[in-house]
Amino acid sequence: MASKPGKPKFFPVISSIQKIRVYETKTNIQLIGSNDKETRFRILQIARSPELHIYEDPNEYDLKEIRKIISNIKYSKSISAYGIVGFVRFLETYYVILVTKRHKVGFIGNHIIYTIKDTTIYKITPDSSKNSSNPFESKYLRMFMNVDLSSNFYFSYSYDLTRTLQHNFSVPKFVGENADVTVEEPLDWNNECEREDRMYAYRSTSRKKFVWNEFLLQPMQKKVLHKDWMLELIHGFINQSAISVFGLPIYVCLIARRSKNFAGTRFLKRGANCCGDVANEVETEQIVSDGQRLSSFVQLRGSVPAHWSQDISKMVPKPPISLDIPDPFAETAGKHFEKLLFHYGAPIIVLNLVKRKEKRKHESILTDEIMMNVEYLNQFLPANCKIRYTHFDMARKNRSDKNVMEALDGKGKTSIAMTGIFYTDNNETCYQTGIIRTNCVDCLDRTNTAQFAMGRSALALQLHKMGFLKADSRLEFDSDCVTMLESLYEIQGDTLALQYGGSQLVHRIKTYRKTSAWMSQGSEVVQNLSRYYSNTFSDQEKQQSINLFLGLYIPYENDNGEHLWDMTSDYNLHNPIENGIDKEKQLTMWYSDLIRKYLPQATSNCTKIVKELIRIHSLDLEMIDLYSNYHLTYKVTSLEENIAYQISQFARNSMATYRTHFSPFEPTKRATQPTATKTTSSIESISSSDEADSTSDEDDTHSSLKLSISDQRQSEKKSYFDDNVLKDCKSIYGFELEHPDKESMAKYKTYVNFQKKSHPIAEKSDKKLKPIVLESTGIYKDSSYEVQEPKVTESDRHKYENYCKLIINPEYDESCSSSDIIEKYINFKFDD
């Protein structure tokens, strides 16, 4: 019987340019890029002229050859960098932006994730041309630099951060960025002719929606440079933390990818553009790993997909909401949901947190619009792939006595049961089909809390798939695990709120849990004022900087002479005419036949496109060796670079924690400290309790031990772990934990009061003190006087003398060669 062909294995290509040395001369700027080990080098030359002339040396050099080349360069200035962000031109010349400082923020497997800490911008033309520069050149440069690249921009040399973990683990089907998936036949990896295990290295095709420096990389793409020179950046949030399950670390990484399409500030970017891209669209991915197995859960936030806005000309806290363009056939919403079906599959679960019942219509306008759009679009979808609409008036629920988090937890379990999660190990792989799309008005405060609830339910399922939780277990609040996850989502919410709204979160997770202190109300007022000030005075300038950075406005291509700051509206920049309403498209067929072919699966995963696919025959190649790229044992690094992730600050108070177990999945009990002022009854109760507790320390110790043991036995009845993960003491060590006997307890109580009994003069009692005898249970003695000097035999002494002579001079014995002596020493063949 013929054996089945082995499954092909795919490895991402590691960038060969991770370090760059820049040498500035009078005629050109030379960039020498190398890998992290500095064994392979490439050269890039940029001519110092108004036009961009880039020459790349096609050869690859080693360390000895590159030193000869550098010795011949007569440079005036040199700096070190870690990547090229891109090139930009305003009115006169080009500038090159370089990453000069980086920092590790996390890892996915052996893939390291960096954040930018500092950048520099080089003017390509010589400095002598400053006198003839355009007066508006410096203004555009300052506006461009308002986008702080050292704040929440991330990259990786080996992992595609623009794609989800599920897509990166999918099998490639097409090769080439210009592949036409509607005409070409996909690759068949079930070919019976291939009998041996096949291994391939591939270069991923990024999702341009999340590449924030795509416009800056276009000059390099036109010159057809080596792909490793191009460093793609995402904007949003990445943080990683860990929980310890009895010593085994479980890493949780939260990645938030902010879309660059229809990007901007709060009141200036609302709803959607004509292409179906919505404002404040962020893809959040929750990745869990234990070092071997990987799991991820993806969810989405974004504005209501319709043409709506708010008039901010009036100084009111809540500007009125208005629908700008009528869309009776939901064409804009259809384009938006078509993209979701293409990238995530079905079902799409819309969780709408906007108010529905109001005395005066405000938020409910958006609720009516999205409900009508979903109802219309569902007419043309298959029954098993329809959009699932769920409404949850979060503000109304929070004002009532109902528990908001419990209600969200129920919705999260129901939704995740329909979409599933992605999980992979050596034996099993399951996929997430569909996505949960959450929105409120701003997609900030309420949305972040709802996404935390979804992430909490997903984390329980992820830990269950890995075998750490039982199927019916839930993650309790105030446990270490949920506290860690809450901290991650809180930091993510603050970061995204600052990027879109200009301030941190106003209503936090603790606000909806109703556990926040009354002092936090003052903080909410301050955040409201900060957000209102930012939206009123600084958002316009911030929006112009984003438009310039993303290449929506190109100064030197502007023919009418109108500068960016003179434009009254940027509507035409975000709504290009060529991508407007498609008149030829049928209104009943709002999604393509290609999507219909692969539903309910995600089309992007079923038709995965890669830039290159290279057949390899060894795992020792440097281009795919992730282990050597991650573990730099030969390199001296700082402590910050040696730590592979940052542990988030836990949201804990300073109160003591009393626990009888160390499971990160069970809530901890916190001690309540008495206040300084108390009533008479409380004082009496405390005094009586003090009298009752004024017994000896032995009784306190005995009672506390009884309490801890009883609590432990009660906690054993409620097990959060799978039986295959943690076994009982009897099955491992052969005995059961029991309460100590009276003799052992009496000895322990005497030992606890050793300090008091060691001073008989201070004792009022005339009772004789019994001596304490603590016998050692090990082979080592407690007293240093009982240790005897070890005896060394003559044979051992002779071997040691030979060893000393061998170190000084291996050929001390002329009759024997050095190899013979070493062999004798290793095999202990010396004569006594």
Side-chain angles (χ1 to χ4, degrees), residues 134-389:
N134 193 297
F136 298 109
E137 181 78 10
S138 59
K139 187 171 184 178
Y140 276 116
L141 179 59
R142 289 194 301 270
M143 185 179 294
F144 179 85
M145 295 179 68
N146 282 339
V147 178
D148 188 8
L149 284 169
S150 62
S151 175
N152 309 124
F153 281 88
Y154 306 90
F155 65 92
S156 176
Y157 297 113
S158 59
Y159 185 82
D160 188 2
L161 288 174
T162 64
R163 299 285 187 175
T164 62
L165 184 71
Q166 177 171 310
H167 185 275
N168 289 332
F169 270 82
S170 299
V171 178
K173 295 295 184 179
F174 298 90
V175 181
E177 292 184 273
N178 299 323
D180 190 352
V181 298
T182 59
V183 179
E184 299 180 17
E185 290 293 329
L187 298 174
D188 185 14
W189 298 109
N190 297 322
N191 190 0
E192 293 293 337
C193 298
E194 298 284 352
R195 294 298 176 184
E196 73 278 2
D197 293 336
R198 293 158 290 172
M199 297 183 294
Y200 296 89
Y202 70 92
R203 295 185 188 273
S204 178
T205 303
S206 59
R207 191 176 175 187
K208 303 304 180 184
K209 182 178 186 177
F210 298 118
V211 181
W212 273 66
N213 61 331
E214 180 191 8
F215 169 72
L216 305 178
L217 294 175
Q218 287 180 2
M220 303 176 68
Q221 294 173 348
K222 293 178 181 178
K223 301 296 181 180
V224 196
L225 302 180
H226 195 276
K227 296 178 177 60
D228 289 346
W229 287 105
M230 303 174 194
L231 188 67
E232 295 178 336
L233 308 178
I234 70 166
H235 184 42
F237 170 82
I238 296 180
N239 202 347
Q240 189 170 36
S241 188
I243 55 175
S244 177
V245 181
F246 293 92
L248 177 64
I250 308 297
Y251 304 103
V252 180
C253 182
L254 202 63
I255 303 177
R257 307 175 181 92
R258 189 181 179 194
S259 172
K260 69 178 179 62
N261 298 338
F262 205 55
T265 54
R266 183 186 176 200
F267 283 121
L268 298 179
K269 288 292 164 285
R270 292 296 212 190
N273 60 5
C274 293
C275 304
D277 301 308
V278 297
N280 197 25
E281 185 174 13
V282 182
E283 178 187 82
T284 301
E285 184 175 15
Q286 180 177 297
I287 300 176
V288 180
S289 171
D290 64 348
Q292 296 180 349
R293 296 166 292 185
L294 286 167
S295 176
S296 72
F297 170 70
V298 182
Q299 52 184 327
L300 192 74
R301 71 169 69 183
S303 186
V304 175
H307 299 280
W308 63 278
S309 62
Q310 287 183 273
D311 185 11
I312 58 175
S313 60
K314 300 178 182 179
M315 303 290 287
V316 293
K318 293 183 178 180
I321 296 175
S322 60
L323 296 175
D324 301 331
I325 302 176
D327 192 5
F329 299 104
E331 294 182 70
T332 300
K335 291 181 179 180
H336 175 69
F337 287 114
E338 181 184 19
K339 295 178 181 179
L340 299 189
L341 289 174
F342 180 85
H343 289 288
Y344 307 109
I348 299 172
I349 302 173
V350 177
L351 179 58
N352 184 23
L353 306 176
V354 181
K355 297 177 183 177
R356 182 165 55 185
K357 296 181 180 180
E358 294 177 306
K359 294 181 179 179
R360 180 180 297 178
K361 273 190 172 295
H362 180 63
E363 294 185 7
S364 56
I365 297 175
L366 302 177
T367 300
D368 297 338
E369 182 70 14
I370 193 173
M371 286 179 63
M372 289 188 295
N373 290 342
V374 171
E375 184 179 359
Y376 176 83
L377 297 175
N378 272 337
Q379 299 177 85
F380 315 108
L381 280 173
N384 61 331
C385 301
K386 291 185 180 296
I387 302 172
R388 311 297 176 89
Y389 176 82

Side-chain angles (χ1 to χ4, degrees), residues 739-751 773 775:
H739 187 77
D741 53 14
K742 293 183 178 180
E743 182 179 357
S744 300
M745 199 65 201
K747 184 180 295 186
Y748 177 73
K749 288 189 292 182
T750 309
Y751 178 76
V773 180
E775 297 180 357

